[in-house]
């Protein structure tokens, strides 16, 4: 297996591809930052549920149950986009935290106080690396 240079982009792409293929569940290799991002997606209602499996390979696995609209079957996540890339990191201070879709979407930030949404970072007065936009 090849080494993934950007695990977070891989995480987002797996979710995006699984939704395009109308899968119910998607498996993603785990890491602490991905676990935190998964918890945020669940808290904000973008995914149905998740489960961390520790026994699968040495780093564990995240099983994510994707969320779709009951009638139209459209995915809950319209767009999930990587912002800060390994080649070009994107940082913001507490005053310049980006608004996603005028506050309708969320930006996930990696701050000194952990991984959190744009609104939580604003409330705590911390900036950090902008990982992705979700709406």
């Amino acid at each position: 297996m090849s080494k993934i240079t950007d695990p977070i982009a891989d995480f987002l792409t797996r979710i995006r591809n699984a939704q395009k293929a109308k899968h119910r569940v998607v498996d993603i290799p785990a890491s602490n930052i991905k676990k935190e991002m998964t918890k945020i997606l669940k808290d904000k209602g973008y995914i149905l549920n998740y489960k961390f499996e520790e026994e699968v390979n040495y780093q564990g696995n995240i099983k994510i149950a994707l969320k779709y609209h009951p009638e139209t079957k459209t995915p809950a996540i319209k767009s999930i986009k990587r912002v800060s890339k390994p080649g070009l990191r994107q940082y913001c201070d507490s005053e310049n935290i980006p608004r996603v879709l005028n506050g309708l979407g969320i930006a996930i930030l990696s701050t000194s106080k952990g991984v959190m949404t744009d609104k939580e970072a604003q409330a705590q007065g911390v900036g950090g690396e902008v990982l992705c936009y979700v709406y």
Side-chain angles (χ1 to χ4, degrees):
M1 181 154 168
S2 64
K3 179 90 176 86
I4 299 166
T5 51
D6 189 359
I8 294 166
D10 176 65
F11 169 82
L12 301 175
T13 302
R14 283 176 192 239
I15 292 174
R16 212 178 296 118
N17 290 347
Q19 283 191 327
K20 274 205 172 79
K22 300 267 188 272
H23 288 309
R24 292 207 176 287
V25 179
V26 59
D27 270 347
I28 299 166
S31 74
N32 289 342
I33 199 159
K34 291 186 216 168
K35 287 179 182 177
E36 293 306 311
M37 289 172 72
T38 306
K39 285 176 189 161
I40 290 172
L41 290 175
K42 170 80 170 91
D43 293 344
K44 300 296 172 206
Y46 288 107
I47 58 175
L48 272 177
N49 217 331
Y50 61 87
K51 190 169 82 192
F52 300 140
E53 295 176 330
E54 298 303 325
E55 67 277 348
V56 187
N57 64 42
Y58 62 95
Q59 61 185 6
N61 227 0
I62 308 173
K63 258 196 187 342
I64 297 177
L66 298 170
K67 189 173 179 181
Y68 299 95
H69 188 279
E71 281 91 46
T72 60
K73 300 282 184 265
T74 55
I77 300 172
K78 305 264 179 300
S79 167
I80 186 163
K81 199 172 119 217
R82 182 81 160 113
V83 179
S84 184
K85 301 176 173 76
L88 181 62
R89 300 282 183 199
Q90 300 287 336
Y91 297 98
C92 64
D93 55 15
S94 53
E95 285 84 55
N96 299 323
I97 293 173
R99 283 169 64 90
V100 181
L101 264 181
N102 238 341
L104 293 172
I106 61 167
I108 299 177
L109 282 82
S110 173
T111 70
S112 54
K113 295 185 176 158
V115 179
M116 59 182 75
T117 65
D118 47 355
K119 290 175 187 70
E120 291 164 356
Q122 202 115 42
Q124 292 190 27
V126 292
E129 185 181 346
V130 185
L131 297 175
C132 65
Y133 295 154
V134 185
Y135 58 88

